Each structure stands twice: as structure tokens, then as C-alpha cells.
């Protein structure tokens, strides 16, 4: 993946942020009440929509299996059944189990005392925690500045003409980490706005460009006119 916007990147990133904020308003993310709930949601949302995650979370809540201790006390078959709506439920049940077992030995609040690089490395060492999940936990559960990127970010930035080539998580994340102040509230809102924009307007198949405030500076829109 190549980054194409090489000049005044900080200015461009802030300009994009302000346009997204003007379009969508504050998004108030991540939808969770506890750090563990953030981590659970981050694992369950891998390769599926948030709507499916909500159904799985609801099943866990209704079954009284929503805390690490409660999840640890149920069988793997029950866990699989409860999180089935989140897709890839067998693999995800293993990931949730691995995370629960890990934090039983080393609680999240202890892990969270570390700085971002060390915390990220530790989270990445846990089975089932990839970069996007780790950064989500760091940003939304630990409240530390680690930018989260995802397929929505890649789609938006490709269409704007800011990046080209295959998706590369670390390179795309570095675009934000290297050019924005490490501010938790900014990172929190920015990621949420990008996801909101992808879900509401810049759809995968048919983006709703007529409704989009970014169209005057969008390569995709320009090429489609
Ligand atoms: S103009 Fe269209 S393609 Fe470009 S960012 Fe907006 S919705 Fe996406």
C-alpha cells in the first residue's frame, strides 16, 4: 500500500476530520459499559457487522454469561451457541476463551498500566487478538492513544485518492499515528466518524456521493462524473 497524500498531511487529516464531524456530529463510541465489554465486542466484530455482534452480546447477557468469570464458568459448546450470530462462532469462542483465561491471570487494569507500545505488544501476543482488536482495546478500553483503522478507513482513503495498492493495516495506522497529536478523544471520535461515514454514506457497493460533503475532494467521485 502506498500513501499518496504526502504534503501537509496533518492539515489534510484535520480538514477531513472536521468535514466528517460536520456531516455526522459526535458519535459517542465505543458502545460498551466496561473494558471487558469493549474487548469482547472487539473480538466478536472481527469479519462481521456490529448488528451481528449485538445479537451475540444480547444472548450472552440473557444467559448471564457477560463477565469474564461468568464466561469462564460455561462450557465451550454453550459459548459457541450464544455467540453464533457473530459468525465464525467456533473460532471466536476459542478467542474469547483465550482472552478470558489470559485476563484471569493478568487482569486488564494491570495490563493497562503500561505505555501503548508495550501494551500493544502484550495484547498482540494473546491468541485471537490482531492489530485492529488490540488497538480497539487500547483506545476504547484502556483510554490510551492508539489509532484504530479498518476496512472502512481503507475504503474511504482509497476513494479519496490518499492511498493506493493493497490494504496494509500498519501503514494505514501510521498515517494517523505519525501525523496527528496522540489525543485519545481525537482518535476516539475520528475512528468512529470514519466507521459512521462508511456505514451511512460511503457504502461498499454504491456510495451515496450526492449526500457526501467530501465529494469535491474525492477522486472516486471525480472519476465517476
Ligand atoms: S464522494 Fe462518494 S466515494 Fe467519495 S467519500 Fe463521499 S461517498 Fe465516498
Amino acid at each position: 500500500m502506498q500513501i499518496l497524500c504526502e504534503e501537509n498531511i496533518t492539515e489534510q487529516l484535520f480538514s477531513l476530520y472536521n468535514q466528517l464531524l460536520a456531516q455526522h456530529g459526535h458519535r459517542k463510541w465505543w458502545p460498551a459499559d466496561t473494558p471487558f465489554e469493549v474487548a469482547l465486542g472487539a473480538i466478536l466484530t472481527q469479519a462481521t457487522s456490529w448488528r451481528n455482534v449485538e445479537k451475540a452480546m444480547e444472548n450472552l447477557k440473557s444467559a448471564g454469561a457477560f463477565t469474564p468469570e461468568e464466561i469462564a464458568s460455561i462450557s465451550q459448546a454453550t459459548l459457541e451457541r450464544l455467540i453464533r450470530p457473530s459468525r465464525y462462532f467456533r473460532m471466536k469462542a476459542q478467542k474469547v476463551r483465550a482472552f478470558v483465561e489470559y485476563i484471569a491471570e493478568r487482569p486488564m487494569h494491570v495490563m493497562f498500566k503500561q505505555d501503548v507500545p508495550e501494551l500493544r505488544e502484550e495484547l498482540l501476543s494473546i491468541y485471537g487478538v490482531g492489530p485492529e482488536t488490540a488497538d480497539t482495546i487500547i483506545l476504547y478500553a484502556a483510554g490510551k492513544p492508539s489509532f484504530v483503522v479498518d476496512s472502512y478507513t481503507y475504503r474511504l482513503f482509497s476513494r479519496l485518492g490518499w492511498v493506493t495498492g493493497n490494504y496494509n493495516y500498519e501503514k494505514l495506522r501510521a498515517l494517523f499515528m505519525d501525523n496527528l497529536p496522540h489525543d485519545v478523544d481525537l482518535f476516539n471520535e475520528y475512528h468512529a466518524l470514519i466507521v459512521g461515514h462508511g456505514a451511512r454514506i460511503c457504502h461498499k457497493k454504491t456510495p451515496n456521493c450526492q449526500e457526501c460533503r467530501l465529494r469535491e475532494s474525492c477522486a472516486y467521485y471525480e472519476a465517476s462524473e
Side-chain angles (χ1 to χ4, degrees), residues 111-183:
M111 269 198 275
F112 290 175
K113 286 181 181 156
Q114 300 172 100
D115 288 335
V116 170
E118 291 76 28
L119 174 55
R120 192 170 196 258
E121 202 179 315
E122 180 170 4
L123 287 167
L124 288 173
S125 75
I126 304 171
Y127 171 73
V129 177
E132 185 183 333
T133 306
D135 292 326
T136 299
I137 294 171
I138 298 170
L139 183 60
Y140 293 101
K144 290 174 185 271
S146 192
F147 204 95
V148 184
V149 296
D150 58 6
S151 53
Y152 287 118
T153 319
Y154 175 65
R155 186 161 82 220
L156 176 61
F157 277 53
S158 299
R159 286 178 173 170
L160 290 173
W162 291 23
V163 302
T164 189
N166 293 335
Y167 179 39
N168 179 312
Y169 186 94
E170 296 299 337
K171 269 195 182 177
L172 193 54
R173 174 176 178 265
L175 180 66
F176 296 89
M177 293 299 288
D178 295 348
N179 296 289
L180 286 175
H182 287 191
D183 179 314

Side-chain angles (χ1 to χ4, degrees), residues 28-199:
K28 300 193 182 104
W29 258 38
W30 176 281
D33 292 330
T34 66
F36 176 68
E37 206 181 314
V38 173
L40 187 60
I43 292 170
L44 295 180
T45 201
Q46 293 170 1
T48 196
S49 70
W50 188 255
R51 214 172 313 127
N52 292 334
V53 174
E54 282 176 330
K55 288 180 202 156
M57 298 277 238
E58 211 37 67
N59 286 349
L60 289 166
K61 255 187 211 166
S62 310
F66 208 52
T67 66
E69 297 74 23
E70 288 165 349
I71 289 176
S73 73
I74 60 173
S75 71
Q76 201 63 359
T78 303
L79 180 57
E80 287 176 3
R81 181 176 52 77
L82 294 172
I83 66 166
R84 194 182 181 107
S86 71
R87 301 176 76 216
Y88 311 108
F89 58 92
R90 285 201 182 90
M91 190 189 288
K92 285 183 182 176
Q94 288 175 15
K95 292 178 178 183
V96 170
R97 180 77 65 197
F99 193 80
V100 163
E101 284 174 358
Y102 192 90
I103 61 173
E105 298 294 322
R106 192 159 152 78
M108 292 176 83
H109 71 271
V110 175
M111 269 198 275
F112 290 175
K113 286 181 181 156
Q114 300 172 100
D115 288 335
V116 170
E118 291 76 28
L119 174 55
R120 192 170 196 258
E121 202 179 315
E122 180 170 4
L123 287 167
L124 288 173
S125 75
I126 304 171
Y127 171 73
V129 177
E132 185 183 333
T133 306
D135 292 326
T136 299
I137 294 171
I138 298 170
L139 183 60
Y140 293 101
K144 290 174 185 271
S146 192
F147 204 95
V148 184
V149 296
D150 58 6
S151 53
Y152 287 118
T153 319
Y154 175 65
R155 186 161 82 220
L156 176 61
F157 277 53
S158 299
R159 286 178 173 170
L160 290 173
W162 291 23
V163 302
T164 189
N166 293 335
Y167 179 39
N168 179 312
Y169 186 94
E170 296 299 337
K171 269 195 182 177
L172 193 54
R173 174 176 178 265
L175 180 66
F176 296 89
M177 293 299 288
D178 295 348
N179 296 289
L180 286 175
H182 287 191
D183 179 314
V184 173
D185 291 338
L186 174 68
F187 283 10
N188 180 324
E189 193 71 79
Y190 210 149
H191 173 65
L193 285 166
I194 291 171
V195 173
H197 195 69

